[in-house]
Amino acid sequence: MSIPKVAGAYWTNNAEGELLIEEMTISLLAARYGTPFFIYDRDVLEQKYLALRHALPGRFSISYSVKANPNPAFLRYFLEKGCGLEIASAGEFHLARNVGCPPEKIIFAGPGKTEAELKLVIAQGIGEIHAESALEIERISAISRKANRPTRVALRVNPNEEGQGGAMLMGGKSAPFGVDEEQMDPLILRIARDPHLEFWGIHLFTGTQILDHNLLLDQYRKALEIGRHAAALVPAPLQTLDFGGGLGIPYFPDDSELDLRQLDAGLKGLVDSIREDCFENTNFMVEPGRFLVGEAGLYVTRITDIKTSRGKKYLILDGGMNHHLAASGNLGQVIKRNFPMAILNKLDARETETVDVVGPLCTPLDTLGRSVRFPAAEVGDLVGIFQSGAYARTASPLGFLSHASPPEVWVEGSCDFLIRRRGNLEDYMQDIHPVGAAL
Ligand SMILES: *Cc1c(COP(=O)(O)O)cnc(C)c1O
C-alpha cells in the first residue's frame, strides 16, 4: 500500500509506513483531535495557489469561490494573498466580512438571490453583483434606488456553444444559471441605461472539474467574444470579465492533472491577441474553488468494525457520506468511482485484501470504497480519503443520522490548529421544540 498516485505529490510517510503531515504522524493528530476529522495542509494550499498565480498573466485577478470550502482559515489565507472572494449567499457574505474582507473585494453570484440578501449586500456595500435573471436586475435596481446607492452589475451569461469533454458542463444548453446568450442584449442595455446601476462586465461559468486546458481556453475565448460584443453594445470599455472557475484536480487513476504550462501559454496567446480598446483596463478575473483547495484536505476516519457478509469483507468507519457525500459518489456523479484512499498507518504493508469501505449510516448509499485493494486491516486503523479539501464537509448532509459533525484541523509548518470544533450532540436537542408547547 502506498499513498494514492494522484495525491502522491503532496504527502509523505515515515519509515514505519505512517502518513506524515509536515513532521507529525497521522496517529498523533488522530489521538489529539479524535476521529473522524478533516485536516488541511497549508503548504499544499500554498503550492496550488502559487502554481495558479504563475500560470495566469499578471492582469488576471483571482477571487476564491467560498462555497468550495468556507472555513474562515481558507478565506483569511486568500485575503492575505490579495485575492477577492466570490460568494453565493448572505451566509457567505457574513463569513467574508467577518474575516475582514472589504466589501469591494466581494462578488456575489448565484441564482435565486432573495430580496433580503440583495438588500443586505447593497446596504453594506459589494464589489459586484452578477445578475442571473431579468427579474434579478429589476430587484437590484429597485433596492439600489431606495438605498440611493448605485450598484455594479455584471451579467452572467450562459453561452450558446458547448465546449466538449468537461464534466458537468453548464453551457450551450438550458440552465438555471445566468441568462442565455441569445437573450442578453436587451438586458445589458437595460442595466447600462439604469441610473441606479453600473454595467460592470460579463461573467461566464460553464463547467466544473475541467482537466483539459483546451476546453478552458475555448471558454475563455468565448468569454472574450461575449465581452467584446457587450462593450460594443453599451458602448463603453468593460470593467470586468469574469472567466469563472472550473479548473479541475485529479481524483481517479486515469485522470491527468490540468496542464498549467499549456494553460499559461494559451492564456498569454489570448491576451496578446487582444487589439480592442474595450479591454484596455478590464479586470480579467477567475474564480476557482476546487483547484485551489481540493488537494490540501484529507478526511481521516477510524475503522470501528470489520465483518464479512456472504463472502464480501466490509471495513466499517466512524464517518461516511454524512461528512463526505462526494466520496460516496452521491454528489452528482454519474459513475461512482472510489476517491483515492489508504490505510494511513499501513502505507508500507502489502495489499492482500479486496474490501468494501463503508460509513456508519444505515443506508447502502453510505459506501466510500467499492472493491478496494488494501493490506490486512484491523479495528482501530486509520482510513484516509485524499483530495478532500473542496466540496467535502461543506457539501455533505451533516445532520443525516444525527452524528456529531466533524472538526477541521489546519496544519501550518510544525503547528496544528483546531479551526472548527466537533459538533456537539446536544445541539441536536436544542433544535427540537417539545410537541405541544407554545413556540
Ligand atoms: C461553484 C462556483 C465556482 C467554483 O467552481 P470550481 O469548479 O470549484 O472552480 C465559481 N463560480 C461560481 C459562480 C460558482 O458557482
Side-chain angles (χ1 to χ4, degrees), residues 65-87:
S65 182
V66 171
K67 79 174 187 292
N69 191 323
N71 191 294
F74 284 91
L75 309 193
R76 273 194 203 99
Y77 173 86
F78 288 112
L79 276 184
E80 274 169 25
K81 296 289 176 191
C83 298
L85 297 176
E86 183 267 327
I87 62 153

Side-chain angles (χ1 to χ4, degrees), residues 395-407:
S396 300
L398 296 174
F400 190 31
L401 272 98
S402 304
H403 289 278
S405 62

Side-chain angles (χ1 to χ4, degrees), residues 65 67 86 109 156 203 205 208 245-247 287-290 391:
S65 182
K67 79 174 187 292
E86 183 267 327
R156 179 165 175 187
H203 174 207
F205 174 50
T208 187
L247 292 78
E287 41 171 31
R290 187 192 312 271
Y391 306 113

Side-chain angles (χ1 to χ4, degrees), residues 148-217:
N148 198 19
R149 189 171 196 172
T151 302
R152 298 168 174 180
V153 176
L155 191 66
R156 179 165 175 187
V157 177
N158 176 20
N160 61 15
E161 273 170 33
E162 191 167 0
Q164 295 299 312
M168 268 175 82
L169 281 177
M170 291 182 272
K173 47 191 179 205
S174 175
F177 312 108
V179 303
D180 291 348
E181 188 179 348
E182 306 84 280
Q183 301 173 5
M184 73 179 173
D185 287 7
L187 295 176
I188 291 170
L189 291 170
R190 160 77 187 82
I191 300 168
R193 287 174 184 154
D194 189 322
H196 310 290
L197 303 178
E198 294 178 69
F199 176 64
W200 211 247
I202 292 290
H203 174 207
L204 249 73
F205 174 50
T206 52
T208 187
Q209 183 50 16
I210 296 170
L211 290 168
D212 178 355
H213 62 273
N214 285 316
L215 192 61
L216 284 167
L217 289 167

Side-chain angles (χ1 to χ4, degrees), residues 5 34-35 96 112 116 143 214 252 258 285 291 319 343 348 383 394 397 419 425 439:
K5 196 171 133 263
T35 56
I143 296 166
N214 285 316
F252 310 115
L258 181 63
M285 190 192 296
F291 180 88
I343 301 187
D348 58 349
V383 172
T394 184
I419 54 172
L425 289 180
L439 278 167

